[in-house]
Amino acid sequence: MKPILLPLILIASVLLSPTRTIGQITVGDTLTTQTGAPDTLTAAVIEWERTKPRETKYGEARDLLTGATRDLSWLDIHAHTLFAGKTFSTAPNEAADNLLIVRDGSITVTIGATHKVLGPGGIGLFAAGERPVFVNTTTANASCYLLSFRAKGKVDHNRAKQAGGPVLLDWPEMVMKKTGKGESRPIFSRPIAWLHNIDMHATTLDPGQISHPQHMHRNEEIILLRSGHVRMHIADGYRKAAGGDLVFLPSGVPHDLENGDTGRCEYFALQWEP
């Protein structure tokens, strides 16, 4: 084959393809594959008090983190405040896996025929294609975090179904294990539609304790502080973080979490495998 023919063949194959390309996303009738978005997120501490709420139909929302990582073509994290009696849900047919974490108040989650009330620290894990509805049935405001994930690769809805469907777990239901530094609560470690595995646990550190000696790992990680005041050691620098703050740690970044001497701290730690 002459060299000049190869570009012509490649162009023809693209023009005749039954799928269409929108930005970095290749789709047919529904989104099934995500390709090649460059990394846009670096290590960061997102402070709750520095994020500005914007008005929504159901209350308020805060934009915390949006971008691409080594393993995710799209990571989107928002905080939502539901005023009394208000409702919101994920977008219809949204092509992403979603994780709900209740910050304060009580939120009733409905998905299909399932209804569950989640209080502070309660979580919900939902595969792409599932559309949970979140309702504040109380007379006080309730707030939560909603994390959305899309990996660089193909979605697998059957994998999510075989893993057992949505996870709804309230904080008191999480099994607590005593450790030499405080407490640990394993929450889930399982496949989901866009990810081969997503792993989440909660840690309680006694005053003056360090999560681990500074270390690094292949997996990216999110740490969400439930309570307390800590110091994040990220690479060669230190950042303070407090309850409500979120930490993003890219792949291969050295880090540890150091609790202060004034009281316990609690945090969620989340990692994933594409």
Side-chain angles (χ1 to χ4, degrees):
M1 181 182 296
K2 295 182 179 180
I4 195 172
L5 293 179
L6 183 57
L8 295 175
I9 292 173
L10 292 174
I11 293 171
S13 66
V14 170
L15 293 175
L16 295 175
S17 172
T19 62
R20 60 192 184 278
T21 300
I22 305 175
Q24 297 290 337
I25 306 171
T26 302
V27 298
D29 292 331
T30 57
L31 180 63
T32 59
T33 304
Q34 178 71 61
T35 60
D39 294 7
T40 60
L41 298 178
T42 57
V45 175
I46 297 94
E47 299 178 37
W48 177 271
E49 295 299 332
R50 290 180 178 269
T51 59
K52 295 182 179 180
R54 53 182 171 82
E55 185 177 346
T56 65
K57 292 181 179 179
Y58 52 80
E60 296 177 344
R62 297 169 187 256
D63 305 322
L64 302 181
L65 191 69
T66 300
T69 74
R70 175 174 177 172
D71 291 330
L72 300 177
S73 61
W74 188 58
L75 171 62
D76 188 64
I77 305 177
H78 296 272
H80 302 274
T81 298
L82 279 73
F83 292 168
K86 296 297 184 178
T87 300
F88 89 102
S89 65
T90 56
N93 301 318
E94 186 176 29
D97 299 324
N98 291 289
L99 173 64
L100 171 81
I101 303 173
V102 179
R103 182 175 187 261
D104 52 43
S106 295
I107 295 176
T108 300
V109 180
T110 299
I111 183 162
T114 300
H115 308 273
K116 189 173 181 69
V117 178
L118 299 177
I123 66 94
L125 179 66
F126 312 98
E130 297 171 338
R131 194 188 180 193
V133 177
F134 311 117
V135 185
N136 180 2
T137 60
T138 72
T139 58
N141 292 348
S143 61
C144 63
Y145 302 88
L146 189 64
L147 295 77
S148 300
F149 306 87
R150 193 161 60 223
K152 296 177 180 177
K154 292 185 177 181
V155 67
D156 188 340
H157 293 289
N158 288 331
R159 177 175 62 202
K161 291 178 181 178
Q162 292 172 3
V167 176
L168 293 171
L169 196 61
D170 207 11
W171 180 265
E173 298 172 328
M174 299 176 189
V175 178
M176 186 270 287
K177 299 179 180 179
K178 288 286 187 180
T179 70
K181 299 179 180 181
E183 299 170 357
S184 178
R185 290 171 171 82
I187 301 173
F188 56 71
S189 183
R190 53 163 284 172
I192 199 165
W194 279 99
L195 298 168
H196 282 90
N197 194 68
I198 183 167
D199 182 276
M200 185 179 188
H201 69 270
T203 295
T204 302
L205 284 182
D206 291 335
Q209 295 289 342
I210 298 176
S211 58
H212 307 278
Q214 193 178 46
H215 64 291
M216 67 180 73
H217 38 70
R218 165 63 180 79
N219 291 349
E220 300 156 339
E221 185 171 15
I222 288 172
I223 294 174
L224 179 61
L225 270 293
R226 286 198 70 212
S227 62
H229 295 269
V230 306
R231 187 170 73 158
M232 290 298 308
H233 187 186
I234 303 174
D236 296 327
Y238 290 89
R239 287 286 305 274
K240 291 182 179 180
D245 295 351
L246 182 143
V247 182
F248 174 70
L249 298 165
S251 174
V253 173
H255 61 277
D256 66 59
L257 182 151
E258 304 173 3
N259 191 22
D261 295 327
T262 57
R264 281 184 151 192
C265 73
E266 286 184 340
Y267 62 89
F268 292 107
L270 183 72
Q271 296 186 23
W272 51 87
E273 298 173 13

